[in-house]
Amino acid sequence: MSELRPGAVVLDLDGVLIDSIHVMRRAFQRAYDLTVGDGEAPFEEYLTHLGRHMPDTLAIMGLPAGMYEPFVVESRKLVHEIEPCPGAAELLTGLRAAGVPTAVATGKTHGRAVEALAATGLLDLVDAVCGSDEVAHGKPAPDIVLLALEKIGATAEGAVMVGDSALDLRAGRAAGTRTAAGLWGQGDRTELLAHQPDLVAGSCAELAALLHRPEGIPA
C-alpha cells in the first residue's frame, strides 16, 4: 500500500458534483427539434460522450453544429432545475477543511460551469473552475486536468482526478494523476472498471471516506 495524501482533487462536473441529466435531455431535444426536425433526439448516444466539448461531440455523432447554440440557450433557461449530487457539498467542504485544494474540469464551457455550480450552491466550495473552452484539446487529452492543477498551484503527483466516464479517467491518467471512478454518475460501470481506477466509489460520501482513510490506496 502507498499512502494517499491528496495534494489536490480535480473533479468532473456533470454526474459527479451536479445532477443535470434531465436538463441536458430537454435542452438536447429542443436543439434537435430546431435544427434537425421532428423525432427523438439520440440523447442516449450523446451521454456516451459526456466530458467532451459539445461541438466535438456533435461532429462525432454526425449532428449539425447548429445544435450547439440552442442547446446552450435552453440549458441556461433551465439551470435553476439542476441539483447538487447527494453528498457533493459535504465532499467539497471536507476536502477544504483538510487543506486539499479542489478544481472542476468539465466539458462545459467555463461560463456554463460557473452558472451550474452557482445554481447548486457549490461554486464557493471549489477553488477553481476549468471549462473545455479554455484548452486546445478536450478530454481524454490531459490539457484540462493540467490546467486545473495549474490554477490551484498543484502538481499531478499526489493529485486525484474524479470522474464518471472513461474520458475523465483517461484524461487524469494522461496528466499523471491518480484516478477515481464515481459510479453514481452516468458512466458504464464495466467500462469504468476496465480502466483500472485507483479508487472506486458508489457515492460522494464513499469517495470522501476513501480520500481520507489513513491507510491510503493501492499503488
Side-chain angles (χ1 to χ4, degrees):
M1 303 287 281
S2 67
E3 286 192 357
L4 170 64
R5 302 294 186 191
V9 176
V10 180
L11 306 103
D12 180 44
L13 182 59
D14 296 289
V16 173
L17 292 177
I18 63 172
D19 180 3
S20 55
I21 299 303
H22 57 298
V23 166
M24 284 187 192
R25 185 183 297 276
R26 288 166 60 186
F28 193 80
Q29 184 65 56
R30 176 63 173 162
Y32 187 87
D33 292 343
L34 290 173
T35 56
V36 178
D38 295 337
E40 184 175 354
F43 184 71
E44 298 306 318
E45 181 184 352
Y46 172 73
L47 287 180
T48 67
H49 298 285
L50 279 188
R52 296 187 191 274
H53 190 31
M54 188 173 180
D56 296 337
T57 297
L58 294 174
I60 291 170
M61 293 179 65
L63 292 171
M67 278 185 64
Y68 181 60
E69 184 175 351
F71 176 85
V72 171
V73 169
E74 192 68 14
S75 295
R76 283 182 157 153
K77 287 180 183 176
L78 300 172
V79 70
H80 63 282
E81 296 187 16
I82 298 174
E83 298 285 342
C85 289
E90 292 79 4
L91 168 65
L92 296 173
T93 300
L95 289 170
R96 176 164 288 176
V100 178
T102 58
V104 166
T106 175
K108 280 181 163 56
T109 62
H110 180 271
R112 290 182 59 221
V114 167
E115 288 176 359
L117 285 162
T120 53
L122 300 178
L123 181 60
D124 292 339
L125 300 180
V126 297
D127 299 304
V129 179
C130 298
S132 56
D133 56 328
E134 297 179 81
V135 294
H137 305 288
K139 302 171 189 174
D143 302 33
I144 197 166
V145 180
L146 293 172
L147 177 62
L149 293 170
E150 179 183 341
K151 283 191 176 187
I152 56 178
T155 63
E157 184 178 2
V160 180
M161 172 66 196
V162 182
D164 67 335
S165 77
L167 292 174
D168 298 320
L169 302 185
R170 289 170 60 192
R173 189 147 290 161
T177 72
R178 297 287 187 93
T179 58
L183 300 184
W184 64 93
Q186 295 300 311
D188 179 80
R189 177 189 179 95
T190 300
E191 183 180 15
L192 286 170
L193 295 182
H195 282 78
Q196 299 183 321
D198 299 291
L199 292 172
V200 178
S203 66
C204 286
E206 185 178 350
L207 176 63
L210 290 172
L211 290 172
H212 292 295
R213 64 183 182 176
E215 69 270 25
I217 61 176

